[in-house]
Amino acid sequence: MSFINNLKKVLRQNIREYGMFIALFLIMLIFTIATDGIFISSRNISNLLNQTGYIAVLAVGMTLVIIIGQIDLSVGFLAGFLGAVAAIAMVSWKLPVIVVIPLVMGFGAIAGVLTGLPVAKLGIPSFVASLAGWLIYRGALQMVTLKTGTIIIPNDAFNAIGNGYIPDIPGLDFLPGAHKLTLLLGIIAIALFIFNEIRSRRKKKEYKFDILPVDMFIFQVMFVSLLIFGITWILAGYNGLSWTVVIMLIVTAAYHYLSSETVLGRYIYAVGGNPEAAELSGINVEKIILIVFGSMGMLAALSGMLFASRLQSATTTAGQLFELDAIAAAYVGGVSAAGGVGKVTGSIIGALVMTSLTSGMNLMGIGISSQYIVRGAVLALAVIFDVATRTRGK
Amino acid sequence: MKKILLEMKNITKKFPGVVALDNVNFQVTESEIHCLVGENGAGKSTLMKVLSGVYPHGSYEGEIIIDGESQEFSNINESKKTGIAIIYQELALIPEMTVYENIFLGHEITNGISVDWNETIKRAEKVLKKVCLQVNPADKIKELGVGKQQLVEIAKALSMDVKLLLLDEPTSALSEDDSENLLGLLRELKKQGVTCVLISHKLSEVIKIADTVTVLRDGETVGSLSAEKGEITENTLVKLMVGREINDIYPKRKVKKGKDIVFEVKDWNVYDPSRGKQILSDINFNVRKGEIVGFSGLMGSGRTELALSLFGNPGRSRVSGDMYIDGEKNNFSHPENAIKEGLAYVSEDRKGNGLILIQDVKQNITLANLREIAKRGVVDNNAEIKIANEYKTSLAIKTPSIEQKVLYLSGGNQQKVSLAKWLFVKPDILILDEPTRGIDVGAKYEIHSIMNELVEQGMSIIMISSELPEILGMSDRIYVLSAGKISGELSVEEANQEKIMHLATN
């Protein structure tokens, strides 16, 4: 009985944080039932994650931009343009992939800082500054693809980023049809997770801080572990982890750590919460704005390359509307438009919600026009839920 | 016997976990000035929100009777129609609009389709005359000072045929002169038959102006005093408000100030290019170890600007002059550097640029010195909780937990969080800008005691304050600013209110 009560209490206290997970779970459940299980099939989930990749990466960067109370509209075409630059670097300049990827990400960071400069130094609204970027990169993309049209990328290593999967451990013949390395990585992830949770719990105990009741703690750890195992099991049933998912996981983990554990992360939230107070607290607000826009540009480059790799070519319209999908994902994921509030993991869930909707409705044969309407409604509902649970106060 | 205009009977208002108002009774007689006093969190604002319909009928228990009729407001517009106008601490004017547009905002005078601007301006002039404000109605609000803006707010209320005017700490942001003006106006309005309810923390003001005072404590009415009977004295008020006697809200220090000059400013000039104005000129002053130096002056005399220009100049004004810390010349290009050199600045505007309201108590406390609890750029969350709890205890911050958002704390506790944040920086020189503005007597006493402890430990404090009793009660030495210049320096022994006012208006 006390277990149920504890569960209720924990759920109620954290409804905002769990809300998105529950929503994602419900959406997946509904589509699974509606498509007789096709939605949850290994193949579909694998595809779905791969489709989310380039938007999720953008959404992560956009989360920080929105947290500091700004917006960046330029990243869609910047991604498209830098995807084309990567293609040209490989095809015309004959540079190796290993050089191209960091080089283009460097370009992205510079482009991001350029968008951030008028915002940080002159206080120009980022909507305007990045709208200018939107136009400029759109023009730039068309200019570099003007002569050739679509640039085909003949580089297998590069194209694997968007289409390939991690190799399996050779020579193992148990569990035929399952990707062993993926399973192994999943188990390692679970072990690390459990180890980490126990360690942080012990540390909190040492300091005599409040901790979850033991039954709740075990329940929480079991639940997350099962979730990780479930996902790896599904993925292992179809080619295993794709490189896109690996990149997405690395970016998410790095940015989650940066935003929640580091001094820089705290400064970012402080600037978003109250820039004047942050400045008076000795935080260099201009620098923070430049860093956040720089990181956004860098992730736009990564997103552009993921997309180009997926299509195995750079097209003249690549990146169109990416920025709005990323912004929508962030808002669905609980980032506040007023600044100062939001989580990187939330935005990833937001991105997954949006792609799940597309994928599920595609499987059900629902027309594209209806899909837009449904996605719009979900965005509106998510934001309403967010505001409603926030103003309830303490 | 005068008619009773407003009666609030047995009002009880509960929030989850808290009873904000417990059977409160509140009675206002027609055309009187009625002051409502009480510590922060005593329920004054909640009571006013119940009255004005911010908390609709049904969300509280009890009855509201106006002019003998029971009223059930479900929103602010309904209470407005009955003739209740509220003027909040934070002014609700639109800076970019003109005076007359603001006065008639929300109840524009129209001739069917479009706004009748000529009639609007004419009526605006009339109502401005009523509040004795001489401005051009076509001036923009942002061009007026805070004192005049307050009068525009009152004019706005009067333009709506108001029966009952509620003012929530109208003078907390005003200089002594402007406050005096405003109180005079309230007396004038009283003669014209307007009833005023005034919420105020300044007891001297209450004693000066109130016909009746109602005191709230912890959500209950603890007393109602009448001026006619001579019941309104500072001692009775304080006693009722805090429930115990505070003999001296300016506790005495044990230790005398040191001799070494730790901070000195020479020929300091500040020019603000955005306003195109010389803000400060030829400022020279010094601070000794373990000393509290008071800075007095009227609103707009440049006190806050001086503090900010010394503290790394975040407003990007043009600054010239020399600053010495422990005899060494220093120059800060950003608050970051000032903090490193041992300065701290507790802002006058804790909600505006002092605290991050949407973040919790612990995050606010550690923000200015986050590196202290970080290893290689990673914050030690456990150390943070420990430190926040230490300050919560040592400053007696009243909060359910250090994870509570600062937004939900009372003014006095917010100020303590702000203070904790800057104490964690471990400064040598602490600049306090209006350290007790808008907070109640009990918390004031506590903050003054903390200041004394700090100087006893050897810290030096620069205190900017608009409240003369505070300046006189706390400072060792007083500088008076007038129109951007230091017009005088007084030791506390020779200073009195008259001398300071004389220098300030010089």
Side-chain angles (χ1 to χ4, degrees):
Chain A
M1 218 29 228
S2 77
F3 174 77
I4 301 285
N5 283 338
N6 278 343
L7 183 64
K8 271 187 187 163
K9 202 175 138 202
V10 171
L11 275 180
R12 206 177 307 127
Q13 279 169 352
N14 298 295
I15 182 76
R16 271 170 55 72
E17 276 173 39
Y18 297 158
M20 279 308 121
F21 284 93
I22 296 168
L24 179 61
F25 182 76
L26 281 180
I27 287 168
M28 294 184 123
L29 189 72
I30 290 167
F31 282 132
T32 303
I33 293 166
T35 58
D36 293 327
I38 299 172
F39 182 82
I40 204 72
S41 70
S42 293
R43 186 192 161 86
N44 190 55
I45 292 295
S46 180
N47 271 335
L48 191 155
L49 289 177
N50 290 346
Q51 277 164 17
T52 315
Y54 56 90
I55 293 299
V57 166
L58 275 185
V60 167
M62 193 62 81
T63 306
L64 299 191
V65 174
I66 298 175
I67 285 173
I68 62 165
Q70 309 289 354
I71 199 82
D72 192 342
L73 299 175
S74 70
V75 293
F77 282 117
L78 177 60
F81 171 59
L82 290 174
V85 170
I88 292 168
M90 284 178 290
V91 176
S92 304
W93 307 342
K94 312 278 185 223
L95 291 175
V97 180
I98 201 79
V99 176
V100 168
I101 293 173
L103 181 74
V104 172
M105 282 172 75
F107 286 159
I110 294 169
V113 169
L114 284 179
T115 311
L117 269 174
V119 179
K121 297 281 176 196
L122 302 172
I124 287 169
S126 50
F127 191 95
V128 180
S130 65
L131 187 59
W134 185 90
L135 287 164
I136 290 168
Y137 299 130
R138 181 175 204 179
L141 171 62
Q142 285 181 3
M143 202 182 281
V144 295
T145 52
L146 190 65
K147 274 186 228 148
T148 49
T150 298
I151 307 167
I152 306 288
I153 303 172
N155 188 317
D156 287 340
F158 185 79
N159 290 340
I161 299 170
N163 301 293
Y165 295 85
I166 60 170
D168 202 354
I169 310 160
L172 296 177
D173 44 12
F174 62 93
L175 283 176
H179 194 275
K180 263 73 83 182
L181 182 59
T182 302
L183 282 180
L184 183 67
L185 287 174
I187 289 164
I188 292 173
I190 291 170
L192 279 176
F193 170 73
I194 294 175
F195 174 73
N196 204 20
E197 285 292 298
I198 291 175
R199 205 182 60 158
S200 106
R201 185 182 168 85
R202 199 170 287 158
K203 197 127 194 214
K204 283 207 165 126
K205 231 178 190 167
E206 248 172 57
Y207 276 91
K208 301 196 176 63
F209 294 156
D210 290 343
I211 39 176
L212 281 178
V214 173
D215 54 348
M216 268 303 101
F217 176 73
I218 293 170
F219 178 73
Q220 192 189 4
V221 169
M222 296 268 287
F223 185 80
V224 176
S225 304
L226 272 174
L227 205 69
I228 299 175
F229 186 76
I231 294 167
T232 31
W233 182 256
I234 290 173
L235 288 181
Y238 180 82
N239 292 345
L241 277 178
S242 66
W243 286 112
T244 304
V245 171
V246 171
I247 290 171
M248 202 160 88
L249 285 175
I250 292 173
V251 168
T252 310
Y255 273 76
H256 173 68
Y257 184 75
L258 174 109
S259 63
S260 62
E261 300 296 328
T262 67
V263 172
L264 177 62
R266 283 296 187 75
Y267 285 0
I268 289 170
Y269 281 96
V271 168
N274 187 341
E276 285 88 22
E279 178 87 10
L280 277 181
S281 304
I283 298 169
N284 193 333
V285 175
E286 287 181 5
K287 203 167 94 189
I288 299 291
I289 293 175
L290 291 180
I291 289 173
V292 169
F293 273 92
S295 104
M296 176 80 261
M298 188 188 75
L299 291 177
L302 189 58
S303 164
M305 287 188 284
L306 278 173
F307 188 69
S309 151
R310 198 167 162 72
L311 298 188
Q312 313 195 356
S313 60
T315 62
T316 52
T317 55
Q320 199 161 356
L321 296 182
F322 282 15
E323 70 280 355
L324 296 186
D325 281 337
I327 293 168
Y331 284 153
V332 169
V335 181
S336 159
V341 177
K343 279 186 170 174
V344 168
T345 43
S347 298
I348 292 291
I349 300 295
L352 283 174
V353 165
M354 296 311 256
T355 5
S356 295
L357 287 173
T358 312
S359 157
M361 286 189 289
N362 276 339
L363 288 176
M364 288 170 70
I366 294 173
I368 192 80
S369 42
S370 311
Q371 288 194 16
Y372 277 121
I373 293 171
V374 170
R375 285 166 64 195
V378 168
L379 172 61
L381 280 176
V383 178
I384 290 167
F385 170 81
D386 189 54
V387 172
T389 50
R390 181 173 309 156
T391 48
R392 213 175 46 172
K394 282 197 176 184
Chain B
M1 190 63 198
K2 275 192 179 167
K3 197 174 105 190
I4 288 170
L5 178 68
L6 164 75
E7 192 170 9
M8 296 178 81
K9 272 190 191 165
N10 305 325
I11 303 287
T12 299
K13 166 84 191 165
K14 289 176 189 156
F15 292 107
V18 206
V19 180
L21 295 174
D22 190 3
N23 252 320
V24 168
N25 288 293
F26 183 56
Q27 240 182 32
V28 182
T29 320
E30 193 160 50
S31 60
E32 71 165 348
I33 297 178
H34 193 124
C35 289
L36 187 60
V37 300
E39 292 194 273
N40 282 329
K44 296 166 308 214
S45 303
T46 315
L47 188 66
M48 289 305 107
K49 282 181 181 164
V50 167
L51 174 57
S52 61
V54 173
Y55 299 131
H57 180 77
S59 72
Y60 59 89
E61 294 155 37
E63 202 184 3
I64 300 176
I65 303 166
I66 295 171
D67 258 347
E69 273 176 57
S70 180
Q71 301 283 355
E72 297 179 356
F73 302 131
S74 51
N75 57 48
I76 306 179
N77 281 335
E78 290 182 17
S79 71
K80 256 189 201 163
K81 273 185 206 145
T82 332
I84 296 176
I86 300 199
I87 293 163
Y88 292 103
Q89 224 167 326
E90 279 93 24
L91 297 177
L93 297 170
I94 298 173
E96 286 292 338
M97 283 189 169
T98 61
V99 170
Y100 65 82
E101 280 173 309
N102 267 289
I103 291 179
F104 290 96
L105 190 66
H107 57 121
E108 285 80 3
I109 304 161
T110 62
N111 51 17
I113 303 162
S114 61
V115 176
D116 185 345
W117 290 120
N118 293 329
E119 181 66 19
T120 303
I121 295 172
K122 204 175 112 196
R123 285 217 229 158
E125 275 170 353
K126 230 160 100 191
V127 74
L128 285 173
K129 207 174 271 170
K130 250 189 182 171
V131 297
C132 314
L133 180 60
Q134 286 169 335
V135 293
N136 182 351
D139 283 348
K140 283 188 177 172
I141 288 295
K142 64 172 184 185
E143 292 159 10
L144 306 181
V146 196
K148 286 182 177 172
Q149 291 186 6
Q150 193 98 48
L151 295 180
V152 173
E153 275 268 16
I154 296 175
K156 180 175 175 179
L158 293 181
S159 74
M160 280 184 285
D161 223 7
V162 63
K163 270 191 229 161
L164 182 65
L165 190 60
L166 307 175
L167 301 116
D168 191 354
E169 290 197 42
T171 59
S172 70
L174 300 189
S175 67
E176 302 266 334
D177 262 6
D178 283 343
S179 304
E180 215 33 70
N181 244 337
L182 184 75
L183 297 183
L185 173 66
L186 294 185
R187 286 195 197 102
E188 191 54 41
L189 291 176
K190 177 179 146 186
K191 278 185 205 148
Q192 296 172 18
V194 179
T195 315
C196 289
V197 172
L198 184 73
I199 296 179
S200 179
H201 279 304
K202 295 189 186 168
L203 296 184
S204 56
E205 194 174 286
V206 171
I207 293 162
K208 241 186 271 173
I209 198 168
D211 296 313
T212 317
V213 178
T214 297
V215 185
L216 289 183
R217 186 171 77 224
D218 301 331
E220 291 176 52
T221 329
V222 289
S224 184
L225 310 172
S226 143
E228 271 178 16
K229 294 181 198 159
E231 294 166 331
I232 307 176
T233 66
E234 183 154 349
N235 277 342
T236 19
L237 284 177
V238 171
K239 202 170 150 189
L240 280 173
M241 279 165 72
V242 293
R244 67 193 135 91
E245 264 182 272
I246 292 178
N247 294 323
D248 190 355
I249 59 168
Y250 305 108
K252 291 282 169 285
R253 285 192 286 284
K254 291 178 209 132
V255 186
K256 271 282 151 201
K257 62 185 185 194
K259 278 190 182 150
D260 308 340
I261 289 176
V262 288
F263 188 66
E264 188 163 21
V265 171
K266 282 183 182 163
D267 304 322
W268 197 254
N269 290 286
V270 176
Y271 177 83
D272 183 354
S274 67
R275 280 189 277 175
K277 211 173 127 190
Q278 186 76 25
I279 307 287
L280 294 160
S281 34
D282 304 324
I283 303 288
N284 288 287
F285 75 91
N286 58 51
V287 181
R288 289 168 211 279
K289 191 172 169 65
E291 185 182 36
I292 297 183
V293 173
F295 270 84
S296 187
L298 301 177
M299 202 59 124
S301 59
R303 296 165 305 173
T304 298
E305 289 84 351
L306 173 61
L308 287 174
S309 72
L310 296 171
F311 191 66
N313 190 21
R316 304 277 175 275
S317 306
R318 255 178 262 156
V319 174
S320 70
D322 297 322
M323 180 194 329
Y324 300 87
I325 294 174
D326 285 331
E328 242 173 82
K329 202 165 160 177
N330 264 293
N331 196 6
F332 306 137
S333 56
H334 192 275
E336 195 180 355
N337 313 335
I339 293 168
K340 268 186 203 144
E341 291 300 324
L343 253 68
Y345 170 71
V346 182
S347 163
E348 59 167 340
D349 184 4
R350 50 181 176 264
K351 287 182 184 167
N353 57 18
L355 296 167
I356 298 176
L357 296 175
I358 57 168
Q359 292 193 352
D360 61 24
V361 172
K362 67 173 161 43
Q363 285 171 328
N364 271 287
I365 288 179
T366 55
L367 184 64
N369 197 13
L370 208 47
R371 303 220 172 262
E372 170 105 5
I373 50 162
K375 271 184 217 126
R376 271 174 269 112
V378 180
V379 179
D380 182 344
N381 292 314
N382 292 330
E384 177 174 45
I385 296 174
K386 221 176 120 195
I387 280 156
N389 271 324
E390 280 168 20
Y391 280 107
K392 184 189 165 199
T393 318
S394 68
L395 300 188
I397 300 170
K398 271 183 230 156
T399 170
S401 90
I402 52 165
E403 255 109 43
Q404 176 78 311
K405 283 185 186 164
V406 172
L407 185 65
Y408 300 114
L409 300 186
S410 72
N413 285 308
Q414 286 180 350
Q415 186 67 5
K416 283 183 188 171
V417 172
S418 197
L419 198 55
K421 163 180 166 180
W422 288 108
L423 293 183
F424 181 48
V425 170
K426 294 163 193 145
D428 303 318
I429 298 143
L430 179 65
I431 307 173
L432 296 170
D433 197 350
E434 304 284 2
T436 63
R437 168 183 290 172
I439 67 178
D440 56 68
V441 205
K444 253 183 195 172
Y445 177 80
E446 288 178 69
I447 284 179
H448 289 149
S449 306
I450 294 166
M451 286 168 65
N452 284 345
E453 273 169 44
L454 295 175
V455 289
E456 275 162 26
Q457 290 160 18
M459 203 183 280
S460 307
I461 295 180
I462 297 173
M463 181 185 69
I464 298 168
S465 175
S466 292
E467 291 180 40
L468 289 179
E470 182 172 52
I471 287 276
L472 290 166
M474 293 303 298
S475 317
D476 293 307
R477 211 148 43 92
I478 299 154
Y479 287 99
V480 185
L481 274 177
S482 167
K485 288 186 177 145
I486 289 189
S487 56
E489 179 191 343
L490 300 165
S491 71
V492 72
E493 291 82 15
E494 59 179 327
N496 60 33
Q497 300 218 6
E498 287 71 37
K499 276 187 191 163
I500 293 177
M501 278 324 282
H502 181 74
L503 287 170
T505 51
N506 196 341

